[in-house]
């Protein structure tokens, strides 16, 4: 199983163990609200449905972590993001100092083999393409840079993309294609691909009302999830030219349409999203101190035509506040809205008002 | 309700002595902040949402952002209770208020700005209580 040691914070040193569960176990936790807090400073521990024993437990063998290296001289300012190369031999670090360092794993540590310069100010994100020969970086300077690395470990910038109109927060590669996605302070998500020795923006996903902080592709790469300062999680689907749903495409590029918007689940900015390629579950990181897991299940409603794809999302595990009963007026009922295109349903743990 | 009011007073007591970046006056003296501009809502046990609305003295974008930064930093350091903070320019007082509001509520932008030594120095001078 997946074991995790939770440590209390702020003076609390309680160690808790949780059996990682998936599938049935997670569904069983549907709607359970719990909060883990350390002792001291007004925090307290609440009970929940997770099968967690009270008191501390001995550390299981093989699960202790040691600090192997401190790479303290590479950057002059905050290191914002790190990313391992697909082969595992390299580590990229993106910094507010405007540079991205490439570290190569050695026997006794790591050596900085390249420093990628060019961004005018803070680099916010770095990501390796699955092939391992491409890297992308993005910055507050509004640009996305694509870098190529050759067999001699030489890095070269092959494209500077200036299509966003504001700070770019996050870049992510498609799981299997050389397709790049970026999330921006300009409230959009953009997609890029290579075209004749250069990179072009092939799609712009509009819909969020504020900064998009992160995006994640699903396993097949036909869907993308985005999260925003507007407190919604959106799922977008790719429609290829000639698709049977009748979605128009311009030229040979696929069109992306927002097929699901989850509102009312997050009470503050959502900073990150992760799409599990094994289970299909979506996890979000929110400024309201909670992690939420959303799962998709096959439709239970036989009346829906099977030719249309059905997206049912429910919040299967969530840490939400229940200690204070918020006034109904302060708390929006969670809502899921669908594109008119698709016959989609969402099943929510919490009362959901279905929209037309 | 009473708790929220007490908390609001606590918040105001901390922000009213912040000095204006340009003028030798406090934000209270210049009416940049007022008691009425502080709203507190309880969102969880012992945790509050603090919303501050301020009126910059001049419609100059960078000064408004600077004041927003000072408010955020001082409260981050001095507010004793668990809180989430939102800072806004009072509606209708600035032409680019949406842009400024977005910046001062973007925690990554705020953190990056505070790494700028010049900016940091100005903020420190505005928020540090005189001995």
């Amino acid at each position: 199983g997946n074991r995790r040691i939770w440590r209390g914070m702020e003076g609390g040193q309680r160690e808790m163990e949780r059996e990682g569960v998936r599938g049935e176990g997670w569904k069983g936790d549907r709607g359970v609200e719990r909060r883990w807090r350390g002792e001291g400073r007004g925090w307290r521990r609440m009970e929940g449905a997770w099968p967690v024993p009270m008191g501390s437990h001995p550390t299981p063998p093989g699960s202790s972590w040691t600090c192997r290296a401190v790479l303290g001289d590479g950057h002059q300012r905050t290191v914002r993001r790190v990313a391992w190369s697909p082969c595992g031999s390299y580590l990229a670090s993106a910094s507010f100092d405007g540079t991205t360092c490439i570290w190569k794993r050695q026997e006794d540590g790591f050596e900085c083999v390249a420093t990628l310069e060019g961004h005018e100010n803070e680099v916010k994100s770095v990501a390796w393409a699955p092939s391992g020969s491409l890297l992308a970086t993005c910055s507050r300077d509004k640009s996305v840079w694509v870098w190529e690395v050759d067999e001699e470990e030489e890095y070269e910038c092959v494209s500077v993309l200036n299509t966003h109109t504001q700070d770019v927060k996050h870049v992510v590669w498609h799981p299997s294609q050389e397709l790049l996605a970026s999330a921006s302070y300009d409230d959009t998500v953009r997609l890029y691909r290579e075209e004749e020795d250069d990179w072009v923006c092939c799609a712009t996903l509009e819909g969020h009302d504020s900064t998009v902080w992160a995006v994640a592709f699903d396993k097949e790469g036909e869907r993308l999830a985005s999260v925003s300062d507007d407190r919604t999680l959106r799922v977008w689907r790719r429609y290829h030219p000639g698709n049977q749903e009748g979605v128009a495409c311009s030229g040979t590029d696929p069109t992306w349409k927002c097929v699901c918007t989850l509102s009312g689940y997050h009470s503050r900015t959502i900073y990150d999203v992760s799409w599990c390629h094994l289970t299909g579950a979506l996890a979000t990181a929110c400024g309201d101190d909670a992690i939420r897991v959303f799962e998709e299940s096959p439709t239970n409603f036989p009346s829906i035509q099977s030719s249309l794809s059905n997206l049912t999302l429910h919040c299967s595990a969530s840490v939400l506040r229940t200690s204070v009963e918020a006034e109904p007026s302060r708390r929006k009922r969670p809502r899921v809205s669908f594109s008119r295109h698709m016959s989609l349903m969402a099943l929510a743990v919490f009362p959901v008002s279905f929209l037309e | 309700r009473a708790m929220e009011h007490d908390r609001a007073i606590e918040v105001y007591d901390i922000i009213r002595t912040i000095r204006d970046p340009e003028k030798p006056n406090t934000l209270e003296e210049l009416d940049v902040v007022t008691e009425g501009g502080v709203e507190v809502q309880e969102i969880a046990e012992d945790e509050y949402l603090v919303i501050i609305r301020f009126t910059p003295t001049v419609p100059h974008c960078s000064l408004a952002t600077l004041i927003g930064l000072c408010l955020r930093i001082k409260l981050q350091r001095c507010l004793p209770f668990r809180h989430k903070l939102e800072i806004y320019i009072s509606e209708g007082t600035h032409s680019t208020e949406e842009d400024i509001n977005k910046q001062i509520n973007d925690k990554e932008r705020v953190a990056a700005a505070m790494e700028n030594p010049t900016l940091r120095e100005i903020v420190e001078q505005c928020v540090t209580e005189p001995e």
Side-chain angles (χ1 to χ4, degrees), chain A residues 84-95:
Chain A
W84 289 106
S85 64
C87 68
S89 303
Y90 300 89
L91 182 64
S93 59
S95 169

Side-chain angles (χ1 to χ4, degrees), chain B residues 38-53:
Chain B
V38 177
E39 186 190 337
V40 175
Q41 294 170 21
E42 190 171 15
I43 50 180
E45 191 157 334
D46 293 329
E47 188 174 352
Y48 301 85
L49 172 62
V50 176
I51 303 172
I52 297 177
R53 290 185 174 82

Side-chain angles (χ1 to χ4, degrees), chain A residues 29-50:
Chain A
D29 285 312
R30 195 186 302 200
V32 170
E33 297 167 72
R34 72 200 261 91
R35 233 194 139 94
W36 289 112
R37 296 185 187 230
E39 301 294 327
R41 276 248 302 180
W43 287 28
R44 71 181 192 291
R45 189 172 164 278
M46 281 167 63
E47 299 301 328
W50 296 103

